[in-house]
Amino acid sequence: MAKDDTTIKYDGPAGGWGSLRGIARIAGQEGITPGAIATLLEQNKPGGFACVSCAWTKPAEHHPVEFCENGAKATLWELTGRKAGREVFARHSVTELRSFSDYQLEQLGRLTQPMRYHRASDRYVPCSWDEAFGEIGRELRKMDPKKTVFYTSGRASLETAYLWALFARAYGHNNLPDSSNMCHETTSVTLKKVIGSPVGTIVLDDFKHCDAIFFFGQNTGSNSPRFLHVLQAAVRRGCRIVTFNPVRERGLESMINPQEPTAMVSGHETALSCQYHQVKPGGDIAVLLGLCKHVLAADDVARTDGRSVVDRAFIAEHTTGFAEFEVHVRGLDWAEIETVSGLSRAAIEAAGSVYVEANSTIGIYGMGLTQHVHGFENIATYMNLLLMKGNIGRKGAGMSPVRGHSNVQGQRTVGIAEKPELVPLDRLAELYEFEPPRDKGMNTVETCEAILKGDVGAFIGLGGNFLRAIPEQKAMEEAWPRMRMTVQIATKLNRSHLVNGEIAYLLPCLGRSEMDTLTAKPQVVSMEDSLSCVHGSVGKRKPASRQLKSELEIVSRIAQATLPANPKMAWGAWARDTALVRNLIERTYPDQFRDFNARIFTPGGFYRGNAARERQWKTQSGKAEFVTPKMLSATGFESAPGRVSLITMRSNDQFNTTIYGYSDRLRGIEGKRNILLISPREIERHGLTVGETVTLVSDAGDGIDRRVSGLEVLPFDLPDDCVGGYYPELNPLVPLSHHDRQSKTPAYKSVPVRIERQS
Ligand SMILES: Nc1nc2c(c(=O)[nH]1)N[C@H]1C(S)=C(S)[C@@H](COP(=O)(O)OP(=O)(O)OC[C@H]3O[C@@H](n4cnc5c(=O)[nH]c(N)nc54)[C@H](O)[C@@H]3O)O[C@H]1N2
Ligand SMILES: Nc1nc2c(c(=O)[nH]1)N[C@H]1C(S)=C(S)[C@@H](COP(=O)(O)OP(=O)(O)OC[C@H]3O[C@@H](n4cnc5c(=O)[nH]c(N)nc54)[C@H](O)[C@@H]3O)O[C@H]1N2
Ligand SMILES: [Mo]
């Protein structure tokens, strides 16, 4: 696509001096002490603590500075000198705090003491921990467990997550929605179905052996910047990167490695993607089928002189469903593929040639594939492409979904799941002598549906910002106070803490960089990264307040206050010693967590293993499964006059609903978040003018009025028929029913909307 010079963009590289300036700005803003910088230098190193930002792996041979712009921001955010102490809550009513922006709320600083919501004065007032645990336990004992929900955001450690899930089951439910239900749930469901393993299949070493890396809808420069070093090394040895993304993300175009002094001084950039294709949102199934079509065509040609491109031996031995898929792909019409993807046949064939020529290919993807109505088909078709050339279970090849929160993958590994079949319930029953519930629990979307119906009595959030992250914000905020009890365990104040049930508690916890002072012994916690490696982490900073408790202790104490005594459940001891909990994890999952305590500081983490990597397929058929998608577009809606597809995106200056600032440096957007990104061609087509403010109205055809006003029109290089804007500001536009059909992951990456001019 031709570049249009009137659009807003950033021409510098990812990384480089800009990233260091980004860190310095946050350090200044948060009132950071020199000790915080020392803490940063320990980040992601053995004996140090694991970054609280993304889930990218921590290498065995680390750099002197093993953190990135966004990891540093996340740590400095946690180590801020600001405190949201009792005076803040005495000064501001909860209603007043609701008028603060997400940025202003978290800028108040760290929460310092447990608080209970006092309805008459509309204020949070300090309470004691004993009071809090006592009342929460009493309320839970009175309730039907099936009508309570225990949410987790993907930061809590393996130890806390394990106990959280055990508590839920001992209490009597599987209602364990997780942030991953809004994120890579599509991955968990699709990969489980097609290759029998719900997670990625590659290890770090594979990046040293691949010839091509394909990128679909993952924004490395902002969301997993340490991965850029790996990509840079791959490109330098001749590996080719091909990217499909509606937005030209700078991080995938070029970078300067802040670890390389000469490059920093000379400004020498490494170009990353050799091809960058601006696919329409939801156009990936069409692209992937086009790529498969090209592979078949290349194979036809190769076979005329006795060679082959398609790995038929692999397909015969290891897969099912190829014959049907092949017939389907051959029958597809290029014109349709071009219309749905917004790309020309020539462009798709050029990408296809890189794939055909590469011996070994790694497939990378992120939210651009998972957050669609047909996200399942996005990922299944991507896997088909890899399977056609046997690109799985061998060196330098495989699929790598890039996970979000630092321990989101691990939480699922140790039992956070609403689906009982994913958890070794018999083993739990045997170890703890209780009868775990066998009925399916609620995921995030189902939790929202139940809250809207008034069917939930209590919601306890272990981190996160549920009400801000979910779809259907307006109706959800209206229904939320009908719950009897809401409890939030958190480090900083956010919007979810300002909409309260009849009884509401806000319980402040330690951050990962902080020392757990419950016992004299420093407590180690652990996480699993995107590449299934498990790492230990030790917090060494003095806590933001003496009243903070570890998440492990908070969870254990609530469990203790709620459950009848069981000699097999030593909540009191577990709260004080994470090593004991690791023994429990090992006894529950002996294959994956063998010698857990002994291996916890393995450089680079210890690999938990993955059967699909060994070409063992734990699927229904016992083989890897080709899926024939019934549709070309993943959006789940038809085009209609005036309707455009909205992509909700993250800026470079936020971590999910935490807004660090207003500088989306890598996209050239500064100082604002209430924006509508739209191409100059579409600005003209919709009769808009640059800089005017407009309203976006949801166009789901269900009669519900969902709108967000005050959005400034900014010209941006995007495909036709789509617009972009920021998450979470635009979440009120997303209908709850707009989710992946199989996994119920909300379809945040193509929301049908209309643009209304404000008079
Ligand atoms: N700094 C920072 N780091 C983070 C986070 C953060 O908010 N800030 N969040 C963390 C979390 S929880 C997660 S899940 C990950 C998210 O990281 P990513 O998976 O990178 O998620 P997004 O940035 O939401 O979107 C990814 C890309 O998809 C593209 N895209 C949108 N629609 C489509 C489409 O239809 N097709 C294709 N091919 N591309 C599309 C967008 O332009 C964007 O570049 O990052 C984690 N890391
Ligand atoms: N429109 C749209 N919506 C989306 C997305 C999108 O791309 N578009 N992405 C989705 C995705 S991928 C995700 S993962 C979800 C994110 O949903 P969540 O995980 O629920 O949200 P976060 O913004 O990560 O949560 C931030 C809060 O976590 C708390 N916190 C931070 N650190 C800690 C800690 O160590 N312990 C505890 N207990 N609390 C802590 C702080 O109070 C902070 O305010 O949002 C989803 N929503
Ligand atoms: Mo996520």
Side-chain angles (χ1 to χ4, degrees):
M1 180 179 290
K3 272 258 181 97
D4 186 321
D5 282 325
T6 59
T7 55
I8 290 178
K9 58 180 170 282
Y10 170 77
D11 286 325
W17 294 109
S19 65
L20 296 185
R21 278 194 293 271
I23 297 173
R25 179 173 51 77
I26 302 287
Q29 158 189 316
E30 299 290 338
I32 291 305
T33 57
I37 304 298
T39 305
L40 258 186
L41 292 171
E42 286 191 4
Q43 189 152 316
N44 298 328
K45 295 194 188 149
F49 75 101
C51 181
V52 287
S53 190
C54 79
W56 184 250
T57 194
K58 291 96 195 150
E61 296 138 23
H62 53 77
H63 301 98
V65 179
E66 193 51 66
F67 61 83
C68 66
E69 174 178 1
N70 280 309
K73 283 184 192 169
T75 301
L76 296 176
W77 174 90
E78 189 171 287
L79 295 180
T80 179
R82 293 167 200 264
K83 309 258 162 82
R86 64 173 68 212
E87 326 71 50
V88 167
F89 294 94
R91 202 172 330 128
H92 302 288
S93 71
V94 165
T95 305
E96 234 175 276
L97 288 167
R98 262 205 300 276
S99 67
F100 284 35
S101 66
D102 299 293
Y103 172 75
Q104 290 167 324
L105 285 177
E106 300 214 10
Q107 272 297 299
L108 293 171
R110 289 287 299 277
L111 296 166
T112 59
Q113 77 234 310
M115 286 179 295
R116 187 185 193 279
Y117 178 56
H118 185 248
R119 193 160 295 277
S121 62
D122 185 30
R123 275 176 169 74
Y124 270 113
V125 292
C127 65
S128 73
W129 281 105
D130 285 345
E131 226 176 293
F133 295 136
E135 186 173 22
I136 295 166
R138 272 194 308 281
E139 283 297 321
L140 287 177
R141 284 201 304 273
K142 280 192 274 183
M143 278 184 207
D144 174 358
K146 306 273 191 259
K147 295 197 165 175
T148 66
V149 169
F150 294 4
Y151 173 67
T152 332
S153 160
R155 273 195 189 178
S157 64
L158 289 170
E159 293 81 0
T160 306
Y162 177 85
L163 288 191
W164 187 232
L166 179 63
F167 170 33
R169 298 194 167 99
Y171 173 53
H173 67 76
N174 285 306
N175 297 332
L176 289 160
D178 186 281
S179 59
S180 72
N181 293 149
M182 298 179 255
C183 181
H184 270 290
E185 189 61 25
T186 329
T187 295
S188 308
V189 169
T190 312
L191 293 188
K192 179 87 190 84
K193 161 96 176 77
V194 301
I195 57 167
S197 160
V199 299
T201 67
I202 62 159
V203 296
L204 198 53
D205 186 62
D206 287 317
F207 287 100
K208 294 188 180 146
H209 304 282
C210 55
D211 309 299
I213 304 175
F214 274 62
F215 262 87
F216 279 85
Q218 201 273 333
N219 185 12
T220 316
S222 284
N223 297 336
S224 41
R226 287 180 301 108
F227 184 14
L228 288 177
H229 305 164
V230 177
L231 296 178
Q232 185 185 41
V235 166
R236 283 182 176 167
R237 62 163 184 80
C239 171
R240 291 198 279 175
I241 298 180
V242 177
T243 297
F244 292 90
N245 193 316
V247 181
R248 289 196 77 89
E249 305 287 19
R250 270 314 270 160
L252 288 167
E253 294 188 316
S254 103
M255 73 170 296
I256 292 184
N257 190 340
Q259 309 278 358
E260 294 179 351
T262 3
M264 288 290 277
V265 173
S266 65
H268 183 74
E269 299 176 28
T270 306
L272 291 180
S273 299
C274 69
Q275 292 182 22
Y276 202 113
H277 302 286
Q278 285 179 276
V279 60
K280 278 189 180 179
D284 303 278
I285 303 173
V287 169
L288 287 157
L289 290 169
L291 292 172
C292 292
K293 211 170 160 62
H294 182 73
V295 172
L296 288 175
D299 188 63
D300 292 344
V301 173
R303 283 179 359 141
T304 57
D305 56 21
R307 293 173 301 114
S308 66
V309 173
V310 173
D311 187 344
R312 285 174 200 275
F314 170 82
I315 289 173
E317 186 184 347
H318 288 285
T319 71
T320 63
F322 179 65
E324 181 192 343
F325 180 67
E326 179 175 5
V327 171
H328 178 72
V329 171
R330 287 189 187 277
L332 288 171
D333 180 12
W334 272 109
E336 268 188 76
I337 291 176
E338 288 183 319
T339 308
V340 176
S341 66
L343 300 176
S344 67
R345 173 177 177 171
I348 297 174
E349 285 180 335
S353 299
V354 173
Y355 182 69
V356 165
E357 287 159 22
N359 277 324
S360 303
T361 298
I362 291 176
I364 305 284
Y365 68 90
M367 299 299 99
L369 290 196
T370 63
Q371 294 176 335
H372 283 288
V373 168
H374 298 299
F376 174 88
E377 285 78 2
N378 270 337
I379 298 169
T381 313
Y382 201 0
M383 187 52 86
N384 291 347
L385 177 69
L386 293 188
L387 292 176
M388 282 174 84
K389 290 190 69 196
N391 269 315
I392 184 165
R394 60 181 170 84
K395 210 181 237 204
M399 190 68 104
S400 184
V402 181
R403 305 294 303 241
H405 273 297
S406 50
N407 192 36
V408 66
Q409 182 169 314
Q411 295 182 342
R412 309 312 293 268
T413 306
V414 297
I416 302 282
E418 78 286 358
K419 295 177 185 148
E421 67 274 18
L422 300 180
V423 184
L425 293 181
D426 292 338
R427 187 94 189 110
L428 293 178
E430 185 191 322
L431 283 173
Y432 304 105
E433 296 180 6
F434 76 113
E435 201 31 70
R438 307 271 164 170
D439 51 335
K440 193 187 160 299
M442 295 185 276
N443 59 23
T444 292
V445 163
E446 290 154 356
T447 294
C448 294
E449 289 165 347
I451 291 174
L452 288 172
K453 275 198 266 162
D455 279 350
V456 177
F459 177 99
I460 311 188
L462 177 57
N465 190 358
F466 189 82
L467 261 180
R468 196 67 172 135
I470 53 170
E472 209 71 80
Q473 222 148 60
K474 187 160 168 277
M476 281 300 296
E477 288 197 0
E478 284 163 11
W480 198 262
R482 296 209 292 268
M483 282 189 278
R484 167 79 180 156
M485 182 170 73
T486 53
V487 178
Q488 303 282 359
I489 303 164
T491 49
K492 282 198 182 173
L493 190 66
N494 64 46
R495 199 169 167 86
S496 298
H497 310 149
L498 302 174
V499 185
N500 288 329
E502 226 174 290
I503 299 170
Y505 281 96
L506 184 49
L507 306 179
C509 64
L510 293 170
R512 196 180 293 159
S513 52
E514 289 169 327
M515 198 180 336
D516 181 353
T517 49
L518 185 61
T519 56
K521 202 166 63 171
Q523 292 297 308
V524 179
V525 291
S526 56
M527 348 278 141
E528 173 184 334
D529 66 33
S530 232
L531 303 183
S532 307
C533 287
V534 178
H535 308 257
S537 169
V538 198
K540 294 189 181 147
R541 283 277 292 182
K542 185 165 162 264
S545 146
R546 280 169 43 200
Q547 292 210 53
L548 302 184
K549 288 191 182 301
S550 71
E551 293 179 314
L552 193 80
E553 187 186 358
I554 297 172
V555 167
S556 302
R557 295 277 303 269
I558 299 178
Q560 217 170 10
T562 308
L563 302 174
N566 171 347
K568 297 282 174 187
M569 293 191 191
W571 297 103
W574 296 343
R576 308 169 69 83
D577 192 349
T578 54
L580 292 179
V581 184
R582 281 189 292 281
N583 289 338
L584 306 177
I585 296 176
E586 181 173 347
R587 285 166 71 193
T588 313
Y589 306 92
D591 298 340
Q592 303 174 61
F593 291 95
R594 182 177 39 82
D595 298 330
F596 193 178
N597 274 308
R599 290 197 293 164
I600 188 158
F601 286 117
T602 307
F606 68 82
Y607 185 55
R608 193 168 60 74
N610 182 332
R613 187 177 164 76
E614 315 299 323
R615 295 191 167 179
Q616 291 160 23
W617 318 104
K618 296 184 174 175
T619 58
Q620 245 172 12
S621 61
K623 304 257 172 149
E625 299 182 0
F626 279 89
V627 170
T628 302
K630 307 263 177 308
M631 71 295 293
L632 282 181
S633 163
T635 62
F637 54 85
E638 306 283 312
S639 58
R643 179 181 286 172
V644 290
S645 185
L646 166 69
I647 314 175
T648 57
M649 11 201 241
R650 301 168 147 76
S651 86
N652 184 53
D653 217 6
Q654 77 184 81
F655 191 93
N656 298 338
T657 67
T658 294
I659 312 301
Y660 302 125
Y662 291 80
S663 169
D664 197 358
R665 184 170 61 81
L666 296 175
R667 298 195 187 106
I669 304 166
E670 296 292 337
K672 46 194 150 194
R673 292 185 55 88
N674 289 327
I675 52 162
L676 181 74
L677 302 178
I678 176 167
S679 76
R681 224 164 58 192
E682 291 283 290
I683 289 181
E684 204 179 308
R685 189 168 76 89
H686 289 272
L688 304 171
T689 42
V690 172
E692 78 169 297
T693 48
V694 295
T695 299
L696 276 187
V697 183
S698 137
D699 192 22
D702 57 3
I704 299 177
D705 185 53
R706 302 180 189 86
R707 55 181 61 230
V708 174
S709 302
L711 302 170
E712 180 184 337
V713 171
L714 288 186
F716 198 74
D717 183 7
L718 279 175
D720 292 346
D721 306 314
C722 78
V723 295
Y726 288 126
Y727 146 61
E729 286 82 351
L730 298 180
N731 281 36
L733 293 168
V734 189
L736 187 57
S737 58
H738 192 61
H739 55 67
D740 173 41
R741 289 287 163 258
Q742 309 280 331
S743 65
K744 299 203 176 172
T745 306
Y748 296 121
K749 291 293 183 271
S750 47
V751 184
V753 293
R754 279 178 297 113
I755 307 168
E756 277 185 7
R757 300 193 72 173
Q758 288 177 208
S759 47

